[in-house]
Amino acid sequence: MKHNKTALYLLVLLLVLVGLALTWQRHNVYQVPWLPGEKQQVWSVEAKLEFLGSGEPALVSLALPDSQRGKELLSEYTASPGYGLAFVLREGVRRAEWSISRAEGPQTLYYRAEFTSDNKLKLAQSKPALVASPLLSHSGPQSSAARQLLSQASLRSADERTLVRELVREFNAEEQAVALLSDTAPREQWLQALLMDATVATRIISVLTLEDGRRRSQLSPYLQVFVSDSDYFLVDPYSGLPADEDHLLMWEYRSAPLLDVEGGRYSRVSFSVIENKLAVRDIVAQRHQSIASLHDFSIHQLPLSEQALFKGILLVPIGVLLVCLLRIVIGIKTAGTFMPVLIAIAFIQTSLLTGLVGFVLIVGVGLLIRGYLSQLNLLLVARISTVIIAVIILIAVLAVISYQLGWSEGLKISFFPMVILSWTIERMSILWEEEGGREVLLQVSGSLFTAVLAYLLMTNHYVQHLTFNFLGLQLVLMAVVLLLGSYTGYRVLELHRFYALVKRK
């Protein structure tokens, strides 16, 4: 016995640990919220490409953003009638390539992507190699002026962040030197060259400012400064301060051209931004559509119709657990072990009031019919079959009467499980003959009480959300049921037998 108990507790512990681990994975890896109705920030960004076709075959290539630190790519769409489209990877850069055999006159193409903000998302980026810039390879006045700015900034810096800040401050203060440098290259290129010369890995990137309702916006150059192989910060080359990455999207960060157009002229690209608040449930659904794999074992991979079916099935363990608790620990008697769960499912379809009225009417009339059949001395199969037919007729009659009275809710009574109701009537009738009407009333009341409690639990939004989105919780429910199965103590309703003993003391 002791060995069996140990094996049971080990099995319960294993189920709880695995169930909680799967639940934790769903929440942390796929960002499934604990509570229903949570919303998350989603940025919709759109690139509008325009060029003038020259009447020749055209090939348009646009660098595309990807998931990055703090931003997850949810979905992407294009609008390009008549164009062929392919998403390709060239030298580590994701690009969209449109092609057409003949492009003549003004041409417009669209690319749209949706990003959700996720502060937990950490994606490593490749650190650029330290390469000497051609800007500093010559010994002209620009190179000397630039090195002088770096020398002065280095005296007031202690690390990469302060060096960048002081260097930009030097650029803002020394107007004559900066004017000399600007004849050769833009400010961000000089800053990158000087930082690389100071062994600070730096890259020039193009970022889009995320501001709701922003239209015809352009990308801005920023400096991506690495402090280690995986950690970096973004700097505005004109303020020198670290940028707020929550409102920036790195569109191009691999030193590749943003837009290439062959077969067209006067090409340009502009950007629009819209901020949305989407339900986390919808975001999770989009994420599952894009990254569905065997590692993500969830109901969301199924077609929507099957998902709706499982949404109801996964509630059954809640009702089963409640029945175990009420029967084993509380001591409530029910007609049939899990018949209250089936009645609760029927209540979900019919609504609680309609279900209660229908159940009492059908069982009451069914008992009268069954009482008459018992006087005919029929065989069991024939008697049950007769009861089933009688129940079907009763449900049909109630539905017709409800329709004629204009009570549309009454039509839902057809959702009752007819065979289960027939067996319930048969069982109640036998119980009446063997133990009397009081026991029948006791078990019917217990069944309805349990069914109503199960209905309230199974229609709770929090319970529906947790059971549908966290399959691991089913293992936890199973563990609790196993523990209840090992309970050997008194039931709560049995304690009244000791009331006289306590009163005597």
Side-chain angles (χ1 to χ4, degrees), residues 249-262:
L249 175 68
M250 294 191 295
W251 192 284
E252 201 294 305
Y253 42 90
R254 292 183 178 88
S255 303
L258 175 66
L259 177 65
D260 280 335
V261 177
E262 297 178 10

Side-chain angles (χ1 to χ4, degrees), residues 79-92:
S80 50
Y83 277 80
L85 171 66
F87 293 98
V88 299
L89 191 65
R90 295 193 186 282
E91 300 179 354

Side-chain angles (χ1 to χ4, degrees), residues 60-202:
V60 181
S61 178
L62 175 71
L64 301 180
D66 209 341
S67 295
Q68 52 198 263
R69 187 169 72 184
K71 306 283 186 310
E72 181 185 5
L73 176 62
L74 280 181
S75 57
E76 53 189 353
Y77 316 91
T78 61
S80 50
Y83 277 80
L85 171 66
F87 293 98
V88 299
L89 191 65
R90 295 193 186 282
E91 300 179 354
V93 180
R94 232 167 45 88
R95 305 189 71 90
E97 287 189 354
W98 291 269
S99 58
I100 193 169
S101 59
R102 178 183 172 83
E104 186 170 10
Q107 305 288 313
T108 305
L109 306 173
Y110 292 92
Y111 167 82
R112 191 181 73 182
E114 292 184 337
F115 288 84
T116 179
S117 298
D118 182 3
N119 294 327
K120 297 180 181 178
L121 184 62
K122 306 293 182 185
L123 293 177
Q125 291 200 5
S126 59
K127 182 179 177 180
L130 292 173
V131 179
S133 171
L135 293 175
L136 299 175
S137 60
H138 303 292
S139 58
Q142 290 90 351
S143 177
S144 299
R147 292 187 184 278
Q148 180 63 26
L149 294 176
L150 176 63
S151 175
Q152 294 175 5
S154 300
L155 295 175
R156 302 192 301 273
S157 63
D159 54 14
E160 292 85 352
R161 295 179 187 273
T162 53
L163 176 60
V164 176
R165 183 191 64 198
E166 294 302 323
L167 187 57
V168 173
R169 184 172 295 175
E170 285 294 323
F171 268 72
N172 291 336
E174 301 294 335
E175 296 181 358
Q176 292 183 353
V178 172
L180 178 64
L181 297 178
S182 62
D183 292 339
T184 310
R187 169 186 286 219
E188 57 272 13
Q189 290 189 14
W190 277 109
L191 288 171
Q192 182 196 23
L194 291 173
L195 290 172
M196 296 285 267
D197 190 62
T199 68
V200 177
T202 306

Side-chain angles (χ1 to χ4, degrees), residues 378-386:
L378 299 175
L379 295 175
L380 175 64
V381 175
R383 193 169 64 224
I384 293 295
S385 302
T386 306

Side-chain angles (χ1 to χ4, degrees), residues 299 302-317 345 349 458 467-468:
I299 299 299
L302 298 175
L304 288 179
S305 58
E306 278 70 21
Q307 287 187 37
L309 175 64
F310 271 98
K311 194 170 186 177
I313 292 176
L314 291 173
L315 288 171
V316 173
I345 295 174
Q349 301 293 329
M458 294 163 74
T467 54
F468 181 62

Side-chain angles (χ1 to χ4, degrees), residues 310-326:
F310 271 98
K311 194 170 186 177
I313 292 176
L314 291 173
L315 288 171
V316 173
I318 295 294
V320 169
L321 175 62
L322 177 68
V323 169
C324 289
L325 183 67
L326 293 181

Side-chain angles (χ1 to χ4, degrees), residues 369 382-395 422:
I369 296 174
R383 193 169 64 224
I384 293 295
S385 302
T386 306
V387 173
I388 291 175
I389 295 172
V391 167
I392 293 174
I393 294 173
L394 279 174
I395 291 175
S422 302

